Amino acid sequence: GAGVSQSPSNKVTEKGKDVELRCDPISGHTALYWYRQSLGQGLEFLIYFQGNSAPDKSGLPSDRFSAERTGGSVSTLTIQRTQQEDSAVYLCASSSRRDTQYFGPGTRLTVL
Amino acid sequence: AQSVTQLGSHVSVSEGALVLLRCNYSSSVPPYLFWYVQYPNQGLQLLLKYTTGATLVKGINGFEAEFKKSETSFHLTKPSAHMSDAAEYFCAVSTFSGGYNKLIFGAGTRLAVHP
């Protein structure tokens, strides 16, 4: 079946602009995760959604970052007023609650 | 708190040689352990995982890993390297804290395979 998909695959933006990154999880997966992969920081957990429960936002680096998940499926990660240090690959993963996480191909964000 | 240490950010082996990628973890509760592989410009693909039971875990592409509680290790091995194994490998640990599987990753090891 279809895996996790993310769009866009690449995004180049200017400092100060807002960006939206999209994640389509595997159908039927109730849990959705966002991670950030950057040089010097490795892979960092950002946020987790599980069903209709309140998300765990403990990994979001600042209040410029937010995420939502509509209808328990598609998720959007929004970064406001982007900074150069936001440049990274943003990875989305989904799972069946406690099971293995399956990752999407990522969105490479470059902030000029 | 949990953490993962991968010894060696870069490992280089000859084609046909043994692959050994080291991972040590820290966890106050029984851990779940994972190895993921990342090929260039792709997402992470699960190689294998340890949850409970048999401590020697076999994964895809001929890789295996052994959970050694006494050594807090979960090293990844493959008897004979292939050129297609060149990629970055990540070890991760999780506990189902709060009812979900939050992964803590190591820094990664980039494997190069030369003829």
Side-chain angles (χ1 to χ4, degrees), chain B residues 23-40:
Chain B
C23 172
N24 288 88
Y25 70 90
S26 172
S27 178
S28 57
V29 298
Y32 286 39
L33 295 159
F34 304 80
W35 276 99
Y36 282 87
V37 60
Q38 186 177 35
Y39 298 101

Side-chain angles (χ1 to χ4, degrees), chain B residues 14-61:
Chain B
S14 299
E15 191 174 19
L18 171 71
V19 175
L20 171 60
L21 304 182
R22 298 178 187 274
C23 172
N24 288 88
Y25 70 90
S26 172
S27 178
S28 57
V29 298
Y32 286 39
L33 295 159
F34 304 80
W35 276 99
Y36 282 87
V37 60
Q38 186 177 35
Y39 298 101
N41 300 313
Q42 295 187 26
L44 277 69
Q45 179 182 3
L46 180 70
L47 273 178
L48 49 79
K49 64 179 179 182
Y50 168 79
T51 54
T52 58
T55 57
L56 182 62
V57 180
K58 294 187 184 299
I60 62 171
N61 301 338

